[in-house]
Amino acid sequence: LVIVLVLGVSLFFLPSERITRIAEDQLSAQTGRRVTLAGAGSISVYPVLGVTTGKMSIANAEWSKAGPMLEADSLKIGVDLGALLRGDIHIKALEAVAPRIILERARDGRVNWFAGEATGGNSNALAVSLDRALIKNGSLKYVDHETGKSQSFSRVDMDLRWPDYKGAADIELVLRPAGA
């Protein structure tokens, strides 16, 4: 109990920029891509331990020339403190505000999303579960460099629930063709 209290109190004394840098480093390590969280973040402790950032981006695959794979106006992340202390990441809430997402398939079949590349086959990757992730008013572009075709969607809304990192995920997704 004393350790939890000390950790809780110490959060108030850590500069928000430091917490943002820690989150940036951890996300970069887990995704295998450079993650940039701009601006000073804000911290919440109750009801969920969380951080809200300013603009954020996740770098694209090294072969892509399209810019960041994901950019958003802000990112909100809430985690379960008890699970974090046990060495697991249990994300209670994740919200990307007005994200712009570019998904690509290279001519040789490689994809720019994280299908297995994030941990580099590392079996020591942290266990991650996700109660709920939200995207509202996003945009999504899919480019297939092998076929030369692309599709764009605007006003993308997504509600993702993935309670067990080894289990199935539930997703509700609304895609509207760009310009519609």
Side-chain angles (χ1 to χ4, degrees):
L1 179 61
V2 171
I3 292 171
V4 171
L5 285 173
V6 169
L7 285 172
V9 171
S10 68
L11 285 174
F12 289 108
F13 296 108
L14 278 174
S16 59
E17 293 84 12
R18 176 74 178 133
I19 291 176
T20 300
R21 293 303 146 239
I22 292 169
E24 191 175 71
D25 292 344
Q26 289 298 314
L27 289 168
S28 293
Q30 288 298 307
T31 63
R33 304 275 179 84
R34 179 169 167 76
V35 174
T36 303
L37 304 173
S42 64
I43 303 165
S44 65
V45 178
Y46 182 82
V48 174
L49 176 62
V51 72
T52 300
T53 72
K55 292 189 179 287
M56 66 83 59
S57 68
I58 298 177
N60 215 327
E62 74 283 347
W63 49 264
S64 174
K65 294 177 177 55
M69 182 185 81
L70 181 135
E71 292 180 291
D73 291 346
S74 68
L75 181 67
K76 297 177 185 177
I77 304 169
V79 297
D80 181 325
L81 179 59
L84 194 60
L85 292 173
R86 291 188 303 274
D88 292 334
I89 297 176
H90 182 132
I91 300 172
K92 302 289 284 178
L94 177 67
E95 182 177 352
V97 177
R100 293 156 305 282
I101 304 164
I102 299 172
L103 300 178
E104 295 178 275
R105 182 171 172 232
R107 286 191 173 104
D108 61 7
R110 292 179 295 166
V111 294
N112 72 331
W113 55 91
F114 306 116
E117 80 173 61
T119 62
N122 181 0
S123 62
N124 295 325
L126 293 173
V128 177
S129 61
L130 176 61
D131 282 356
R132 188 173 195 191
L134 292 172
I135 290 178
K136 293 195 182 239
N137 198 29
S139 66
L140 171 67
K141 182 175 184 178
Y142 175 74
V143 180
D144 187 330
H145 294 285
E146 186 175 16
T147 65
K149 294 183 180 178
S150 69
Q151 291 182 300
S152 295
F153 302 92
S154 59
R155 297 181 299 137
V156 174
D157 296 323
M158 181 193 77
D159 187 342
L160 171 70
R161 296 167 196 255
W162 186 26
D164 179 5
Y165 77 100
K166 292 182 180 177
D170 292 320
I171 186 168
E172 292 179 28
L173 181 66
V174 177
L175 297 172
R176 296 170 186 92

